[in-house]
Amino acid sequence: MPRHIAIAAIAAACLLALTACDGDDKADNGKPSPNATASELTQKQKDKISKAAGIPPKPTGVKRQQLLDALAAVAPNVVRYEDKAVDAARNQCSSINGNGGKLDWAAAMRFTYKDVATTEAQGAKINDALKKSGFCKV
């Protein structure tokens, strides 16, 4: 696996672990202490980490619906589980923004879940939709 893909994958995994945590503890200077755990990071710090990894913020309202509509237009089955589709799109942006290799394959893997199977051809269309929609811009 190319190094930049591994780095993006590790960053995305770390981000997912961080988003599961919720805490506002911080050092006196507003920065996390050297021994800080993920639960001690502020939302602002988590957002900064996400941005550095090329992951856009979680869309809400109209932006969420626009993303789901763009995905449904090219691969209708992937939006069957809307939350999973949104998470997969955010994570796919890390590969797109990191100039990752095998983007179509990566999209096919990210958008395959439960009873939804996504092909590489659909992955290519998903990547195109994410780029054209501007969703991946951070």
Side-chain angles (χ1 to χ4, degrees), residues 40-123:
E40 294 172 331
L41 294 175
T42 66
Q43 187 59 47
K44 188 174 182 177
Q45 291 166 328
K46 292 175 189 177
D47 292 343
K48 188 174 181 180
I49 292 168
S50 294
K51 186 174 183 177
I55 299 173
K58 197 168 198 170
T60 58
V62 172
K63 288 186 179 188
R64 176 184 166 95
Q65 192 58 52
Q66 289 171 337
L67 170 63
L68 293 170
D69 290 346
L71 293 171
V74 296
N77 286 338
V78 301
V79 297
R80 186 177 303 154
Y81 305 101
E82 292 180 354
D83 290 339
K84 288 193 174 291
V86 169
D87 289 342
R90 292 179 68 221
N91 287 321
Q92 184 63 14
C93 288
S94 69
S95 290
I96 291 170
N97 291 332
N99 296 316
K102 297 186 178 184
L103 288 176
D104 300 344
W105 176 84
M109 295 300 104
R110 283 191 172 108
F111 286 89
T112 295
Y113 30 75
K114 293 187 180 184
D115 57 346
V116 176
T118 304
T119 66
E120 281 190 55
Q122 289 172 312

Side-chain angles (χ1 to χ4, degrees), residues 27-42:
D28 292 337
N29 61 4
K31 296 180 182 177
S33 67
N35 298 327
T37 64
S39 64
E40 294 172 331
L41 294 175
T42 66

